[in-house]
Amino acid sequence: MKGDRVEIVVDAGDTTRTYEITATRAGRRVEVSVGRGVIEVVEVTRTGVPVRTARFMAARVLALVEHPAATPLLDDER
């Protein structure tokens, strides 16, 4: 969903680096997968076609935070 984002904090030796992957258009989403020592964050279209991919060594990742897009309130919730 547009607005979904994932923040990744990586150990870069003497400092840390922060990366952010965001679903930039309507109908896109951000998926996270972990396997074999690699964390992969992918922005995907509705049909499942990857738009952007970021891969990080799991041993170097200090934090991975998923921020879902804010859902609008329904009429009966206001």
Side-chain angles (χ1 to χ4, degrees):
M1 171 178 209
K2 181 178 180 178
D4 286 350
R5 66 187 175 102
V6 175
E7 286 183 79
I8 304 101
V9 180
V10 179
D11 177 18
D14 57 341
T15 186
T16 61
R17 291 185 184 226
T18 303
Y19 298 93
E20 187 173 300
I21 306 295
T22 306
T24 55
R25 290 183 154 178
R28 292 190 180 170
R29 64 187 183 277
V30 179
E31 296 181 349
V32 177
S33 62
V34 180
R36 293 189 175 221
V38 176
I39 296 175
E40 185 176 62
V41 182
V42 183
E43 181 183 357
V44 181
T45 63
R46 286 184 182 134
T47 59
V49 177
V51 177
R52 284 190 283 169
T53 303
R55 291 186 182 104
F56 304 95
M57 291 174 41
R60 294 284 186 182
V61 173
L62 301 174
L64 187 140
V65 182
E66 296 183 52
H67 299 279
T71 56
L73 293 175
L74 300 174
D75 290 334
D76 60 342
E77 293 177 335
R78 291 183 189 169

Coordinates of all heavy atoms in Angstrom, one line a residue:
M1 N 0.8 -1.2 0.0 CA 0.0 0.0 0.0 C 0.9 1.2 0.0 O 1.9 1.3 0.7 CB -0.9 0.0 1.2 CG -1.7 1.2 1.5 SD -2.7 0.9 2.9 CE -4.0 1.9 2.6
K2 N 0.5 2.2 -0.8 CA 1.3 3.5 -0.8 C 1.5 4.0 0.6 O 0.6 4.1 1.3 CB 0.6 4.5 -1.7 CG 1.4 5.8 -1.8 CD 0.7 6.8 -2.7 CE 1.6 8.0 -2.8 NZ 1.0 9.0 -3.7
G3 N 2.7 4.3 0.9 CA 3.0 4.8 2.2 C 3.7 3.8 3.1 O 4.3 4.2 4.1
D4 N 3.6 2.5 2.8 CA 4.3 1.5 3.6 C 5.8 1.8 3.4 O 6.3 2.2 2.4 CB 4.1 0.1 3.0 CG 2.7 -0.4 3.3 OD1 2.0 0.2 4.1 OD2 2.4 -1.5 2.8
R5 N 6.6 1.6 4.5 CA 8.0 1.8 4.4 C 8.7 0.9 5.4 O 8.1 0.5 6.4 CB 8.4 3.3 4.6 CG 8.1 3.9 6.0 CD 8.4 5.4 6.0 NE 8.0 5.9 7.3 CZ 8.9 6.2 8.2 NH1 10.1 6.1 8.0 NH2 8.4 6.7 9.4
V6 N 10.0 0.7 5.1 CA 10.8 -0.2 6.0 C 12.1 0.6 6.2 O 12.7 1.1 5.2 CB 11.1 -1.5 5.3 CG1 12.0 -2.3 6.2 CG2 9.8 -2.3 5.1
E7 N 12.5 0.7 7.5 CA 13.8 1.3 7.8 C 14.8 0.2 8.2 O 14.4 -0.7 9.0 CB 13.7 2.3 9.0 CG 13.0 3.6 8.7 CD 13.0 4.5 9.9 OE1 14.0 5.1 10.2 OE2 11.9 4.5 10.5
I8 N 16.0 0.3 7.7 CA 17.0 -0.7 8.0 C 18.3 0.0 8.5 O 18.7 1.0 7.8 CB 17.4 -1.5 6.7 CG1 16.2 -2.2 6.1 CG2 18.4 -2.6 7.1 CD1 15.6 -1.5 4.9
V9 N 18.7 -0.3 9.7 CA 19.9 0.3 10.2 C 21.0 -0.8 10.1 O 20.9 -1.9 10.6 CB 19.8 0.7 11.7 CG1 21.0 1.3 12.3 CG2 18.6 1.7 11.8
V10 N 22.1 -0.4 9.5 CA 23.2 -1.4 9.2 C 24.5 -0.9 9.8 O 24.8 0.3 9.8 CB 23.4 -1.5 7.6 CG1 24.5 -2.5 7.3 CG2 22.1 -2.0 7.0
D11 N 25.3 -1.9 10.4 CA 26.6 -1.6 10.9 C 27.6 -1.5 9.8 O 27.7 -2.4 9.0 CB 27.0 -2.7 11.9 CG 28.4 -2.5 12.4 OD1 28.9 -1.4 12.4 OD2 29.0 -3.5 12.9
A12 N 28.2 -0.3 9.6 CA 29.1 0.0 8.5 C 30.6 0.1 9.1 O 31.3 0.9 8.6 CB 28.7 1.2 7.7
G13 N 30.9 -0.7 10.0 CA 32.3 -0.7 10.6 C 32.3 0.3 11.7 O 31.9 0.0 12.8
D14 N 32.8 1.5 11.5 CA 33.0 2.5 12.5 C 31.7 3.4 12.7 O 31.7 4.2 13.6 CB 34.2 3.4 12.2 CG 34.0 4.1 10.9 OD1 33.2 3.7 10.0 OD2 34.7 5.1 10.6
T15 N 30.7 3.2 11.9 CA 29.5 4.0 12.0 C 28.3 3.1 11.6 O 28.4 2.0 11.3 CB 29.6 5.3 11.0 OG1 28.4 6.1 11.2 CG2 29.7 4.8 9.6
T16 N 27.1 3.7 11.6 CA 25.9 3.0 11.2 C 25.3 3.8 10.0 O 25.5 5.0 9.9 CB 24.8 2.9 12.3 OG1 24.4 4.2 12.7 CG2 25.4 2.1 13.5
R17 N 24.6 3.1 9.2 CA 23.9 3.7 8.0 C 22.5 3.3 8.1 O 22.1 2.2 8.4 CB 24.5 3.3 6.7 CG 25.9 3.8 6.5 CD 26.4 3.5 5.2 NE 27.8 3.9 5.0 CZ 28.2 4.6 4.0 NH1 27.5 4.8 3.0 NH2 29.5 4.9 4.0
T18 N 21.6 4.2 7.7 CA 20.2 4.0 7.7 C 19.6 4.1 6.3 O 19.9 5.0 5.6 CB 19.4 5.0 8.6 OG1 20.0 5.0 9.9 CG2 17.9 4.7 8.7
Y19 N 18.9 3.0 5.9 CA 18.3 3.0 4.6 C 16.8 2.9 4.8 O 16.3 2.4 5.8 CB 18.8 1.7 3.8 CG 20.2 1.7 3.6 CD1 21.1 1.1 4.5 CD2 20.8 2.4 2.5 CE1 22.5 1.1 4.3 CE2 22.2 2.4 2.3 CZ 23.0 1.7 3.1 OH 24.4 1.7 2.9
E20 N 16.1 3.5 3.8 CA 14.6 3.5 3.9 C 14.0 3.1 2.5 O 14.4 3.7 1.5 CB 14.1 4.8 4.3 CG 12.6 4.9 4.5 CD 12.2 6.2 5.1 OE1 12.7 6.6 6.1 OE2 11.4 6.9 4.4
I21 N 13.2 2.1 2.5 CA 12.5 1.6 1.3 C 11.0 2.0 1.5 O 10.4 1.6 2.5 CB 12.7 0.1 1.0 CG1 14.2 -0.3 1.0 CG2 12.0 -0.3 -0.3 CD1 15.0 0.3 -0.1
T22 N 10.5 2.7 0.5 CA 9.1 3.1 0.6 C 8.3 2.7 -0.6 O 8.8 2.8 -1.7 CB 9.0 4.7 0.7 OG1 9.9 5.1 1.8 CG2 7.6 5.2 1.0
A23 N 7.0 2.3 -0.4 CA 6.1 2.1 -1.5 C 5.7 3.5 -2.0 O 5.0 4.2 -1.4 CB 4.9 1.3 -1.0
T24 N 6.2 3.8 -3.2 CA 6.1 5.2 -3.7 C 4.8 5.5 -4.5 O 4.4 6.6 -4.7 CB 7.2 5.5 -4.7 OG1 7.3 4.5 -5.7 CG2 8.5 5.5 -3.9
R25 N 4.1 4.4 -5.0 CA 2.9 4.7 -5.8 C 1.7 3.8 -5.2 O 1.9 2.9 -4.5 CB 3.1 4.3 -7.2 CG 4.0 5.2 -7.9 CD 4.1 4.8 -9.4 NE 4.5 6.0 -10.2 CZ 4.6 5.9 -11.5 NH1 4.5 4.7 -12.1 NH2 5.0 7.0 -12.2
A26 N 0.5 4.2 -5.6 CA -0.7 3.5 -5.2 C -0.6 2.1 -5.8 O -0.2 1.8 -6.9 CB -2.0 4.2 -5.7
G27 N -1.0 1.1 -5.0 CA -1.0 -0.3 -5.4 C 0.3 -1.0 -5.2 O 0.4 -2.2 -5.4
R28 N 1.4 -0.3 -4.8 CA 2.6 -1.0 -4.5 C 2.7 -1.3 -3.0 O 2.1 -0.7 -2.2 CB 3.8 -0.1 -4.9 CG 3.8 0.0 -6.4 CD 5.1 0.7 -6.8 NE 5.1 0.8 -8.3 CZ 6.0 1.5 -9.0 NH1 7.0 2.2 -8.3 NH2 6.0 1.6 -10.3
R29 N 3.5 -2.3 -2.7 CA 3.8 -2.7 -1.3 C 5.2 -3.0 -1.1 O 6.0 -3.2 -2.0 CB 2.9 -3.8 -0.9 CG 3.2 -5.1 -1.7 CD 2.1 -6.2 -1.4 NE 2.5 -7.4 -2.1 CZ 2.2 -7.7 -3.3 NH1 1.5 -6.8 -4.0 NH2 2.5 -8.9 -3.9
V30 N 5.6 -3.1 0.2 CA 7.0 -3.5 0.5 C 7.0 -4.8 1.2 O 6.2 -5.0 2.1 CB 7.6 -2.4 1.4 CG1 9.1 -2.7 1.8 CG2 7.6 -1.0 0.7
E31 N 7.8 -5.7 0.7 CA 7.9 -7.1 1.3 C 9.3 -7.3 1.8 O 10.3 -6.9 1.2 CB 7.6 -8.1 0.2 CG 6.2 -8.1 -0.3 CD 5.9 -9.1 -1.3 OE1 6.8 -9.8 -1.8 OE2 4.7 -9.3 -1.7
V32 N 9.4 -8.0 3.0 CA 10.6 -8.3 3.6 C 10.8 -9.8 3.7 O 9.8 -10.5 4.1 CB 10.7 -7.7 5.0 CG1 12.0 -8.1 5.7 CG2 10.5 -6.2 5.0
S33 N 11.9 -10.3 3.3 CA 12.2 -11.8 3.4 C 13.6 -12.0 4.0 O 14.5 -11.2 3.7 CB 12.1 -12.5 2.1 OG 13.0 -12.0 1.1
V34 N 13.7 -13.0 4.8 CA 15.0 -13.4 5.4 C 15.3 -14.8 5.1 O 14.5 -15.7 5.2 CB 14.9 -13.2 6.9 CG1 16.2 -13.6 7.6 CG2 14.4 -11.8 7.3
G35 N 16.6 -15.0 4.6 CA 17.0 -16.4 4.3 C 18.5 -16.5 4.0 O 19.0 -15.6 3.4
R36 N 19.1 -17.5 4.5 CA 20.5 -17.8 4.3 C 21.4 -16.6 4.5 O 22.3 -16.3 3.8 CB 20.7 -18.2 2.8 CG 20.1 -19.6 2.6 CD 20.5 -20.1 1.2 NE 19.9 -21.4 1.1 CZ 20.6 -22.4 0.5 NH1 21.8 -22.2 0.1 NH2 20.0 -23.6 0.4
G37 N 21.2 -15.9 5.6 CA 22.0 -14.8 6.0 C 21.8 -13.5 5.3 O 22.7 -12.6 5.4
V38 N 20.8 -13.4 4.5 CA 20.5 -12.2 3.7 C 19.1 -11.7 4.0 O 18.1 -12.5 4.0 CB 20.7 -12.5 2.2 CG1 20.3 -11.3 1.4 CG2 22.1 -12.9 1.9
I39 N 19.0 -10.4 4.2 CA 17.7 -9.8 4.4 C 17.4 -9.0 3.1 O 18.2 -8.2 2.6 CB 17.6 -8.8 5.6 CG1 17.8 -9.6 6.9 CG2 16.3 -8.1 5.6 CD1 17.9 -8.8 8.1
E40 N 16.2 -9.3 2.5 CA 15.9 -8.7 1.2 C 14.6 -7.9 1.4 O 13.6 -8.4 1.9 CB 15.7 -9.8 0.1 CG 15.4 -9.2 -1.2 CD 15.3 -10.3 -2.3 OE1 14.4 -11.2 -2.2 OE2 16.2 -10.3 -3.2
V41 N 14.6 -6.6 1.0 CA 13.5 -5.7 1.0 C 13.1 -5.4 -0.4 O 14.0 -4.8 -1.1 CB 13.8 -4.5 1.9 CG1 12.6 -3.6 2.0 CG2 14.3 -4.9 3.3
V42 N 11.9 -5.6 -0.8 CA 11.5 -5.4 -2.2 C 10.2 -4.6 -2.3 O 9.3 -4.8 -1.6 CB 11.2 -6.8 -2.9 CG1 10.9 -6.6 -4.4 CG2 12.4 -7.7 -2.8
E43 N 10.2 -3.6 -3.2 CA 9.0 -2.8 -3.5 C 8.4 -3.6 -4.7 O 9.0 -3.8 -5.7 CB 9.3 -1.4 -3.9 CG 8.1 -0.6 -4.2 CD 8.4 0.8 -4.6 OE1 9.5 1.2 -4.6 OE2 7.4 1.5 -5.0
V44 N 7.1 -4.0 -4.5 CA 6.5 -4.8 -5.5 C 5.2 -4.2 -6.0 O 4.4 -3.5 -5.2 CB 6.1 -6.2 -4.8 CG1 5.5 -7.1 -5.8 CG2 7.4 -6.8 -4.2
T45 N 4.8 -4.4 -7.3 CA 3.6 -3.9 -7.8 C 2.5 -4.8 -7.5 O 2.7 -5.9 -6.9 CB 3.7 -3.7 -9.3 OG1 3.9 -5.0 -9.9 CG2 4.8 -2.8 -9.8
R46 N 1.2 -4.4 -7.9 CA 0.1 -5.3 -7.6 C 0.2 -6.7 -8.2 O -0.3 -7.6 -7.7 CB -1.2 -4.6 -8.2 CG -1.7 -3.5 -7.4 CD -3.0 -3.0 -8.0 NE -3.4 -1.8 -7.3 CZ -3.8 -0.7 -7.8 NH1 -3.9 -0.6 -9.1 NH2 -4.2 0.3 -7.0
T47 N 0.8 -6.7 -9.4 CA 1.0 -8.0 -10.1 C 2.1 -8.8 -9.6 O 2.4 -9.9 -10.1 CB 1.1 -7.8 -11.6 OG1 2.2 -7.0 -11.8 CG2 -0.2 -7.1 -12.1
G48 N 2.9 -8.3 -8.7 CA 4.0 -9.1 -8.1 C 5.4 -8.8 -8.8 O 6.4 -9.5 -8.5
V49 N 5.4 -7.8 -9.7 CA 6.7 -7.5 -10.3 C 7.5 -6.6 -9.4 O 7.1 -5.5 -9.0 CB 6.4 -6.7 -11.7 CG1 7.7 -6.3 -12.3 CG2 5.6 -7.6 -12.6
P50 N 8.8 -7.0 -9.1 CA 9.6 -6.2 -8.3 C 10.1 -4.9 -9.0 O 10.4 -4.9 -10.1 CB 10.8 -7.1 -8.0 CG 10.8 -8.2 -8.9 CD 9.4 -8.2 -9.5
V51 N 10.0 -3.8 -8.2 CA 10.4 -2.5 -8.8 C 11.8 -2.1 -8.3 O 12.7 -1.7 -9.0 CB 9.4 -1.4 -8.4 CG1 9.8 0.0 -8.9 CG2 8.0 -1.7 -8.9
R52 N 12.0 -2.2 -7.0 CA 13.3 -2.0 -6.3 C 13.6 -3.1 -5.4 O 12.7 -3.6 -4.7 CB 13.3 -0.7 -5.6 CG 13.3 0.5 -6.4 CD 13.5 1.8 -5.6 NE 12.3 2.1 -4.9 CZ 12.2 3.0 -4.0 NH1 13.2 3.6 -3.5 NH2 11.0 3.3 -3.5
T53 N 14.9 -3.4 -5.3 CA 15.3 -4.5 -4.4 C 16.5 -4.0 -3.6 O 17.4 -3.4 -4.2 CB 15.7 -5.8 -5.1 OG1 14.5 -6.2 -5.9 CG2 16.1 -6.9 -4.2
A54 N 16.5 -4.3 -2.3 CA 17.7 -4.0 -1.5 C 18.0 -5.2 -0.7 O 17.2 -5.9 -0.1 CB 17.4 -2.8 -0.5
R55 N 19.3 -5.6 -0.7 CA 19.8 -6.8 0.1 C 20.8 -6.4 1.1 O 21.7 -5.6 0.8 CB 20.3 -7.8 -0.9 CG 19.3 -8.4 -1.8 CD 19.9 -9.6 -2.6 NE 18.9 -10.1 -3.5 CZ 18.9 -9.9 -4.8 NH1 19.8 -9.1 -5.4 NH2 17.9 -10.4 -5.6
F56 N 20.7 -7.0 2.3 CA 21.6 -6.7 3.4 C 22.1 -8.0 4.0 O 21.3 -8.9 4.1 CB 21.0 -5.8 4.4 CG 20.4 -4.5 3.9 CD1 19.1 -4.5 3.5 CD2 21.2 -3.4 3.7 CE1 18.5 -3.3 3.0 CE2 20.6 -2.2 3.2 CZ 19.3 -2.2 2.9
M57 N 23.4 -8.0 4.4 CA 23.9 -9.2 5.2 C 23.2 -9.1 6.6 O 23.3 -8.1 7.3 CB 25.4 -9.1 5.3 CG 26.1 -9.3 4.1 SD 27.9 -9.1 4.2 CE 28.3 -9.8 5.7
A58 N 22.6 -10.2 6.9 CA 21.8 -10.3 8.2 C 22.8 -10.0 9.4 O 22.3 -9.4 10.4 CB 21.1 -11.6 8.4
A59 N 24.0 -10.4 9.3 CA 24.9 -10.2 10.4 C 25.2 -8.8 10.7 O 25.6 -8.4 11.8 CB 26.2 -11.0 10.2
R60 N 25.1 -7.9 9.7 CA 25.3 -6.5 9.8 C 24.1 -5.6 10.1 O 24.2 -4.5 10.4 CB 25.9 -6.0 8.4 CG 27.3 -6.5 8.1 CD 28.3 -5.9 8.9 NE 29.6 -6.3 8.5 CZ 30.7 -5.9 9.1 NH1 30.6 -5.1 10.1 NH2 31.9 -6.3 8.7
V61 N 22.9 -6.2 10.0 CA 21.7 -5.5 10.3 C 21.5 -5.3 11.8 O 21.5 -6.3 12.5 CB 20.5 -6.1 9.6 CG1 19.2 -5.4 10.0 CG2 20.6 -6.1 8.1
L62 N 21.4 -4.1 12.3 CA 21.2 -3.8 13.7 C 19.7 -3.7 14.0 O 19.2 -4.1 15.1 CB 21.9 -2.5 14.1 CG 23.4 -2.5 13.9 CD1 23.9 -1.1 14.2 CD2 24.1 -3.5 14.7
A63 N 18.9 -3.1 13.1 CA 17.5 -3.0 13.3 C 16.8 -2.9 12.0 O 17.3 -2.4 11.0 CB 17.2 -1.7 14.0
L64 N 15.6 -3.5 12.0 CA 14.7 -3.5 10.8 C 13.3 -3.1 11.3 O 12.7 -3.9 12.1 CB 14.7 -4.8 10.1 CG 13.9 -4.8 8.8 CD1 14.7 -5.7 7.8 CD2 12.6 -5.4 8.9
V65 N 12.8 -2.0 10.9 CA 11.5 -1.5 11.4 C 10.5 -1.3 10.3 O 10.8 -0.6 9.3 CB 11.7 -0.1 12.2 CG1 10.3 0.3 12.8 CG2 12.7 -0.3 13.3
E66 N 9.4 -2.0 10.4 CA 8.3 -1.8 9.3 C 7.3 -0.8 9.8 O 6.8 -0.9 10.9 CB 7.7 -3.2 9.1 CG 8.6 -4.2 8.5 CD 7.9 -5.5 8.2 OE1 6.9 -5.5 7.5 OE2 8.4 -6.6 8.7
H67 N 7.0 0.2 8.9 CA 6.0 1.2 9.2 C 4.9 1.0 8.2 O 5.0 1.4 7.1 CB 6.6 2.6 9.1 CG 7.8 2.9 10.0 ND1 7.6 3.2 11.3 CD2 9.1 2.8 9.8 CE1 8.8 3.4 11.8 NE2 9.7 3.2 10.9
P68 N 3.8 0.5 8.7 CA 2.6 0.3 7.7 C 2.0 1.7 7.5 O 2.1 2.6 8.3 CB 1.7 -0.6 8.4 CG 2.1 -0.5 9.9 CD 3.5 -0.2 9.9
A69 N 1.4 1.9 6.3 CA 0.7 3.1 6.0 C -0.4 3.3 6.9 O -1.1 2.3 7.3 CB 0.3 3.1 4.5
A70 N -0.7 4.5 7.3 CA -1.9 4.8 8.1 C -3.1 4.5 7.4 O -3.3 5.0 6.2 CB -1.8 6.3 8.6
T71 N -4.0 3.8 8.0 CA -5.3 3.5 7.4 C -6.3 4.6 7.8 O -6.4 5.0 8.9 CB -5.9 2.2 7.8 OG1 -6.0 2.1 9.2 CG2 -5.0 1.0 7.4
P72 N -7.1 5.1 6.8 CA -8.0 6.2 7.1 C -9.2 5.6 8.0 O -9.5 4.5 7.9 CB -8.6 6.6 5.8 CG -8.3 5.5 4.8 CD -7.1 4.8 5.4
L73 N -9.7 6.5 8.9 CA -10.8 6.1 9.7 C -12.1 5.9 8.9 O -12.4 6.7 8.0 CB -11.1 7.1 10.8 CG -9.9 7.3 11.9 CD1 -10.3 8.4 12.8 CD2 -9.7 6.0 12.6
L74 N -12.9 4.9 9.3 CA -14.2 4.7 8.6 C -15.2 5.7 9.3 O -14.9 6.2 10.4 CB -14.6 3.3 8.8 CG -13.7 2.2 8.2 CD1 -14.2 0.8 8.5 CD2 -13.6 2.4 6.7
D75 N -16.3 5.9 8.6 CA -17.3 6.8 9.1 C -17.8 6.4 10.5 O -18.0 7.3 11.4 CB -18.5 6.9 8.2 CG -18.2 7.5 6.9 OD1 -17.2 8.4 6.9 OD2 -18.8 7.3 5.9
D76 N -18.0 5.2 10.8 CA -18.5 4.8 12.1 C -17.4 4.8 13.2 O -17.7 4.7 14.4 CB -19.1 3.4 12.1 CG -18.2 2.3 11.6 OD1 -17.1 2.7 11.0 OD2 -18.4 1.1 11.8
E77 N -16.2 5.0 12.9 CA -15.1 5.1 13.8 C -14.8 6.5 14.3 O -14.1 6.7 15.3 CB -13.8 4.5 13.2 CG -13.9 3.0 13.0 CD -12.6 2.4 12.3 OE1 -11.9 3.2 11.7 OE2 -12.4 1.2 12.5
R78 N -15.3 7.5 13.6 CA -15.1 8.9 13.9 C -15.8 9.3 15.1 O -16.8 9.0 15.6 CB -15.4 9.7 12.7 CG -14.4 9.5 11.6 CD -14.6 10.4 10.5 NE -13.7 10.0 9.4 CZ -13.8 10.4 8.2 NH1 -14.7 11.2 7.8 NH2 -13.0 9.9 7.3

